Amino acid sequence: MVHSVELLFDAETDAAVRRLWDDLSDNGIRSLAGHRSESNMPHVTVTVAEDMDDAVDEALRPVVKGLPLGCVLGAPMLFGRGRAVTLVRLVVPSAKLLELHAAVHRICLPHMAGGVLPHAEPRQWTPHVTLARRVPLELVPVALAVPGVTDDIAASATALRHWDGNAKVVHPIG
């Protein structure tokens, strides 16, 4: 498994993304609405590694002082290839969001024995919110036609958490 540091949203943004999950599900798209774990929340993964020590939680506290961070959930995008893809919404990479990413990256590196996974490196990171995984290619047009999937969402990132995927434990930061 992996560890990640994730940005969480205010209640309004969280509800907007959950409505999209529900609307996709209502239209036959297996969205994150079907994932019933308490830890399943709309989020932006800021960094990810095979392992991260728990001391990272305290080290990240100063980053929380920079929140809330206004952002925009923009265009839908597809990740992957083959017969199924992952449907996400781009989080428009503003200067402030990129500064936050750089700070999290710098702070987390000493706490990652094996280093950061390549897609989370600065200049490689694509900030996004996942809507649905394993979407069959033939259902992509259906997903994109769901009302709201292509509309910008004014959002506010308000919290950070450290997800320990090995222990399946959430560590709120700050």
Side-chain angles (χ1 to χ4, degrees):
M1 289 302 287
V2 296
H3 287 245
S4 58
V5 175
E6 302 167 346
L7 265 176
L8 303 177
F9 298 106
D10 66 346
E12 185 177 312
T13 306
D14 185 277
V17 173
R18 288 177 188 274
R19 276 191 303 277
L20 289 175
W21 290 354
D22 290 340
D23 292 347
L24 285 163
S25 184
D26 292 347
N27 282 275
I29 308 299
R30 196 170 81 200
S31 74
L32 269 70
H35 186 342
R36 300 290 179 204
S37 169
E38 276 186 41
S39 64
N40 183 40
M41 301 178 76
H43 68 274
V44 179
T45 300
V46 182
T47 195
V48 63
E50 291 294 331
D51 195 34
M52 204 178 297
D53 67 60
D54 289 342
V56 75
D57 300 350
E58 184 63 32
L60 284 167
R61 286 184 187 271
V63 175
V64 176
K65 293 176 184 172
L67 300 175
L69 175 68
C71 55
V72 175
L73 306 188
M77 297 188 317
L78 302 173
F79 288 156
R81 60 181 141 208
R83 296 175 187 226
V85 293
T86 299
L87 174 64
V88 305
R89 292 291 298 270
L90 173 70
V91 179
V92 178
S94 67
K96 287 186 178 184
L97 181 61
L98 294 175
E99 288 168 8
L100 180 138
H101 177 258
V104 168
H105 178 76
R106 185 184 78 264
I107 291 166
C108 289
L109 273 179
H111 302 279
M112 302 171 168
V116 66
L117 295 183
H119 66 278
E121 287 274 1
R123 296 174 301 285
Q124 300 298 317
W125 179 61
T126 304
H128 65 277
V129 176
T130 301
L131 300 180
R133 293 188 177 100
R134 294 182 293 282
V135 179
L137 290 180
E138 63 272 11
L139 292 180
V140 169
V142 174
L144 294 176
V146 170
V149 167
T150 61
D151 298 337
D152 284 358
I153 299 172
S156 181
T158 57
L160 270 181
R161 73 178 182 180
H162 165 199
W163 166 246
D164 177 344
N166 297 323
K168 301 211 182 326
V169 174
V170 171
H171 303 262
I173 308 292

